[in-house]
């Protein structure tokens, strides 16, 4: 475990170049391996320290789709603001229809819907229209038939039938119940139906991407696999990912990505491991602070995180599946928290029985891709061994917590579904 | 039930204006109500007749996100194309490490990774790099320590340890397993890692929107609630919704929306009921054919569908919640089918116990909004009565099939979650 204080840079300066060199060497895991790794929970606690909600912004109701309200909203007035017809038909007094039947039709005289519907009268109304004064029910077309200036009613209607009362959907001052989560299509329609025009939503997290690049290795995944993948998951989490240049000097690239326009986080992909070219975490240490490098997680355990120019920086592994998982657990957690969403994994979960055992190592959180077959979860490959191919065939993944050495066949496990 | 043949327009002309007038009157439900309604299943069968997959288009791998592959893809070569290191470390011969321990370190001489790793030798490799010839395992940094030009190995490694074999993820010619569903973020990364650049995907369905407008009624939902809502769900279903003008004459507006650039479907919102101003379905009949108007569904039962200029047209109710449901069951079914997705409702489902009974009417499919409370489903309002406010508070909805009169408290129901 490599943990230095948040004020490491300042102390480095205070304690002179010799001490700084010693500290830098202690951060360097290249050709040595990780002496220790922090737990996923501890790394997430570090993330949560930086996840204060962004400031609210005003947007149109239409733009509020998938945004999170900055504060709970209450209805400004009753909705509907008046009693209105819920169906097309004739507004009448229910008492007038008592006893009406096919054999004993009740005859009402037709009047204007803009006036009073008196005793023995009825007025044509369309669904959604105001219920005329005097009327207390709507007689549908299946129960009424026009005969010249009169109406024959062949079925009794109860008081309130076919009418949506004033405030029936929501009363003035009542909470609308759409806060605390991304607004859905029909939530937006609901807000529009309340004649809201602009609403305050939590700001949209902006992430800046530095591609540290693949190591110079044969048969390696094309490095542009990361950009589209990360852009998609950042967008799913309510944020936006913009590319920033890399260049020869990673320290400068990180500082540039963290500067104006200042993003809410920086994501660096690649070069996080213990090989000779794995210089991204050290570049982050040189640009600011590197409190965490190495997490007890498979795949994705070489992830690093720190701060440069007061912006949180996530140095994600180059292997695409490890990169994705480290995003989901750490960088994505920050994106979701900043944007006002629940910070935990965003995948829907279900509980399923394992078809085969999952073998895991005690002491690290292991993630296993699974396919759902007839409602049961079938492990695909052994952890990293299947790579992206296994993830592409998978319906989701199972997390084996650090204290466990796996799951037995038939065990009930929680599947995070894609 | 109002069903006319698909060649109704032609027959109308053949049988003269008098017959056409008679037929048009038979289609007019205004001030009369629906004489009969088709079942949801039958209306969906009509939709499915028009849901032939769109022609494939070539897109870049990055653009393929959430698109559906036009055909299953197979690997063109083994992936990885060579055996490669799965971790950073030293490539060596496993036989050389037999018996190695802290008390009995084995000394190997360091050699170049570009040459042959012979007996007694080891070469530094980074994760992802080709395994040098001669080596059959990777010794991690935790098991090896450099000592000048030599390496001290303090733990035995098994043959194949730390190595990803050629073709381990997928063999040449094997199916990739990512067809038949929208491509996910890591599917796209997988395709990119296979060095694919362009792929053939099913075309993107294009829908054209005609807002027939609200009836001239007080307290009615603002009509612009529909646009954002429908745009969001069409996009979720893989399509794109573009507005088309309305104008005074709905028949002309429908024909214009169905003409060049020819969309794959037209959606008309509002004016589908039995009130005096509900002229959208008749406008569709005048513009082409109206095989279906009125479905045994609540809410949303006044939905109409037909064809104008050979383009399927969906006339959705003006009430936003009815509009949304009619979209999900019919217009959305077409969008999903045209785009190569599963045509059924796209919501994730779960089974939950009902906290209270749901009362429904026999003979129509009724949809009830529910909230999930401690894993149980709590009905919100009685069908239409809660309107959008209930849907906004809901976590999903329960479908009561037409033959049932509801569900008892404690019944296990399928919840379609938002």
């Amino acid at each position: 475990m490599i943990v230095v204080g948040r004020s490491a840079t300042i102390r480095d300066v205070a304690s002179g170049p010799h001490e700084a060199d010693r500290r830098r060497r202690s951060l360097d895991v290249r050709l040595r391996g990780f002496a220790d790794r922090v737990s996923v929970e501890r790394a997430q606690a570090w993330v949560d320290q930086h996840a204060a909600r962004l400031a609210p912004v005003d947007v149109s109701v239409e733009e509020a789709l998938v945004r999170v309200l900055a504060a709970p909203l209450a209805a400004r007035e009753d909705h509907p603001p008046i009693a209105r017809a819920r169906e097309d038909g004739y507004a009448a007094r229910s008492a007038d229809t008592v006893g009406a039947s096919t054999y004993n039709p009740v005859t009402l005289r037709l009047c204007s819907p803009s006036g009073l519907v008196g005793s023995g009268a009825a007025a044509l109304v369309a669904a959604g229209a105001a219920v005329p004064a005097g009327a207390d029910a709507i007689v549908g077309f299946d129960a009424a038939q026009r005969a010249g200036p009169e109406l024959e009613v062949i079925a009794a209607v109860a008081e309130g039938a076919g009418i949506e009362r004033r405030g029936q959907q929501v009363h003035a001052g009542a909470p609308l119940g759409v806060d605390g989560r991304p607004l859905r299509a029909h939530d937006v329609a609901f807000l529009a139906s309340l004649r809201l025009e602009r609403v305050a939503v939590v700001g949209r997290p902006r992430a800046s991407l530095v591609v540290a690049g693949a190591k110079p290795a044969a048969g390696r995944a094309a490095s542009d696999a990361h950009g589209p993948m990360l852009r998609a998951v950042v967008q799913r989490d309510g944020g936006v990912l913009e590319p920033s240049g890399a260049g020869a000097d990673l320290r400068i690239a990180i500082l540039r990505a963290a500067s104006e326009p200042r993003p809410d986080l920086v994501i660096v992909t690649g070069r996080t491991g213990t090989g000779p070219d794995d210089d991204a975490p050290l570049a982050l240490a040189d640009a600011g602070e590197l409190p965490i490098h190495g997490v007890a997680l498979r795949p994705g355990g070489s992830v690093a995180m720190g701060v440069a120019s007061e912006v949180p920086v996530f140095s994600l592994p180059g292997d695409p599946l490890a990169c994705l998982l480290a995003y989901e657990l750490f960088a994505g957690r920050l994106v979701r928290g900043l944007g006002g969403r629940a910070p935990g994994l965003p995948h829907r979960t279900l509980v399923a029985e394992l078809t085969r055992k999952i073998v895991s190592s005690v002491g690290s959180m292991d993630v296993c891709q699974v396919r759902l077959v007839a409602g049961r979860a079938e492990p695909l490959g052994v952890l990293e061994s299947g790579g992206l191919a296994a993830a592409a065939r998978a319906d989701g993944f199972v997390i084996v917590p650090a204290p466990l050495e796996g799951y037995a066949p038939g065990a009930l496990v929680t599947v995070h579904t894609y």
Side-chain angles (χ1 to χ4, degrees), chain A:
Chain A
M1 183 173 69
I2 295 156
V3 178
V4 299
R6 289 206 49 201
S7 55
T9 313
I10 295 164
R11 278 197 278 115
D12 282 354
V13 173
S15 50
H18 185 74
E19 167 67 12
D21 275 2
R22 202 192 57 74
R23 184 177 299 278
R24 190 176 191 283
R25 274 199 306 276
S26 81
L27 294 175
D28 193 351
V29 299
R30 292 179 299 177
L31 307 194
R32 300 191 306 174
F34 294 96
D36 203 352
R37 299 168 187 259
V38 301
S39 68
V40 168
E41 292 73 18
R42 187 147 169 193
Q44 289 183 330
W46 182 89
V47 171
D48 293 347
Q49 285 169 20
H50 297 84
R53 274 189 175 205
L54 298 179
V57 289
D58 258 33
V59 297
S60 71
V61 164
E62 172 160 357
E63 291 166 332
L65 185 73
V66 307
R67 306 295 293 265
V68 178
L69 288 175
L73 278 181
R76 291 180 302 187
E77 55 179 10
D78 286 347
H79 184 69
I82 51 164
R84 60 189 186 186
R86 212 160 60 207
E87 52 186 273
D88 302 307
Y90 297 94
R93 299 185 171 204
S94 55
D96 287 348
T97 68
V98 173
S101 73
T102 317
Y103 304 105
N104 180 33
V106 168
T107 302
L108 303 175
R109 75 175 182 284
L110 283 166
C111 66
S112 160
S114 58
L116 179 85
V117 173
S119 183
L124 180 65
V125 290
V131 177
D136 65 3
I138 307 297
V139 184
F141 295 129
D142 52 343
Q145 194 168 304
R146 208 163 158 165
E150 297 188 324
L151 188 72
E152 290 194 337
V153 177
I154 57 168
V157 288
E159 187 183 337
I163 289 178
E164 188 178 31
R165 297 185 311 278
R166 173 178 172 163
Q168 181 166 334
Q169 291 202 26
V170 59
H171 285 290
L176 300 184
V178 294
D179 51 286
R181 56 168 169 74
L183 291 168
R184 308 164 298 189
H186 58 274
D187 297 329
V188 169
F190 177 47
L191 297 180
S193 75
L194 298 177
R195 300 174 188 283
L196 289 168
E197 281 172 9
R198 298 188 74 78
V199 288
V201 297
V202 180
R204 189 196 304 280
R206 290 183 312 105
S208 191
L209 175 67
V210 174
V211 178
K215 299 178 212 176
R220 184 122 187 109
S223 64
D224 60 355
H226 299 90
M229 180 178 74
L230 289 175
R231 191 147 48 247
V233 287
V234 169
Q235 189 183 337
R236 177 206 64 198
D237 287 340
V240 59
L241 179 71
E242 279 150 9
S244 178
D249 189 326
L250 264 181
R251 185 187 71 90
I252 292 173
I254 290 170
L255 286 172
R256 199 166 44 212
S259 63
E260 299 303 328
R262 189 177 178 275
D264 300 302
L265 66 154
V266 171
I267 294 176
V268 184
T269 57
R271 303 199 179 196
T272 59
T274 54
D277 292 311
D278 284 319
D279 49 7
L282 277 182
L284 171 54
D286 290 343
E289 313 164 25
L290 181 69
I292 292 172
H293 183 201
V295 175
L297 170 70
R298 293 198 313 172
S302 67
V303 63
M305 45 200 100
V307 175
S309 300
E310 301 182 13
V311 174
V313 180
F314 294 85
S315 185
L316 306 182
D319 175 82
L321 192 56
C323 177
L324 179 63
L325 187 63
Y327 170 83
E328 298 288 20
L329 289 170
F330 307 116
R333 184 178 181 88
L334 184 69
V335 172
R336 296 185 291 270
L338 292 171
R341 300 188 179 204
L345 287 173
H347 311 84
R348 305 262 180 139
T349 59
L350 55 86
V351 174
E353 194 184 308
L354 270 187
T355 60
R356 290 187 289 109
K357 71 175 172 183
I358 296 177
V359 178
S360 154
S361 57
V362 173
S364 80
M365 177 189 282
D366 288 2
V367 173
C368 181
Q369 306 293 319
V370 299
R371 193 166 54 176
L372 293 172
V373 181
R376 301 205 305 159
E378 179 177 283
L380 290 169
V382 180
L383 300 168
E384 289 114 324
S385 72
L388 274 177
R393 281 193 301 268
D395 296 308
F397 58 87
V398 169
I399 291 175
V400 185
L404 301 188
E405 60 183 2
Y407 288 114
L412 289 177
V413 293
T414 297
V415 179
H416 295 259
T417 60
Y418 289 126

